[in-house]
Amino acid sequence: MEGKSKTEVRALKAHLALNVRNVSESIEFYKKMLGIEPSKVRTGYAKFDVQNPPLNLTLNQLAFRERGALSHLGIQVRATDEVVTMRQKWLDAGLVTRDEMQTNCCYAIQDKTWTQDPDGNEWEIFVVLQDHLPETSTCSVTASDWHESASDGIAREVSCCATTEVEPTACCTTPAAPTTIGGH
């Protein structure tokens, strides 16, 4: 292999393809969430060419009953004020948000806000304030606990570790006291 140059591959953007029950309904949600129009729409298909963060997001209409194996989706930002700015943009667009400030999640202290698409896929905007926290205990939360906390509007640390399974994942640490911005 001597003499051959190594070419560095530089990714243009990440690609995320989501299955959705109703592409028209999902287009309306993602237009609000992302603040842009889709770059391509076809029967049962839509593409959003997001510049910040760089993302090729496609929606593929497919009949399904339950939510898939996907836990959640997120966009990491640099500071809490960017989390608050995105939250306000989502609220201005008519989306429902849920906040978790100073939450202990995935072995880190984070500030975040959440929204949910028409198929139940949860999106978070978050900043990591303190990282690499030690493992202190396991989470004892079940999926039904998560759904209760989401419906009562109280932000709880368990969101990143609750899945559709009863067994918690290893990301959980001892919950921090939740706070909200603006009572949402």
Side-chain angles (χ1 to χ4, degrees), residues 96-98 116 122 143-156 158-159:
V96 175
T97 65
R98 183 182 75 257
Q116 191 175 82
E122 294 210 310
S144 63
D145 292 330
W146 164 238
H147 295 296
E148 267 183 44
S149 68
S151 66
D152 70 11
I154 298 171
R156 292 189 173 88
V158 299
S159 64

Side-chain angles (χ1 to χ4, degrees), residues 72 104-108 137 139 157-162 168-174:
H72 67 275
N104 187 338
C105 179
C106 303
Y107 306 107
S137 68
C139 184
E157 179 272 333
V158 299
S159 64
C160 78
C161 52
T169 65
C171 86
C172 299
T173 57
T174 304

Side-chain angles (χ1 to χ4, degrees), residues 12-14 50-56:
L12 295 177
K13 56 180 65 178
V50 184
Q51 298 306 308
N52 184 18
L55 176 66
N56 172 346

Side-chain angles (χ1 to χ4, degrees), residues 29 67 95-96 98 114-123 150:
F29 171 84
R67 199 172 144 210
L95 301 179
V96 175
R98 183 182 75 257
W114 296 85
T115 193
Q116 191 175 82
D117 78 5
D119 292 297
N121 293 308
E122 294 210 310
W123 282 86

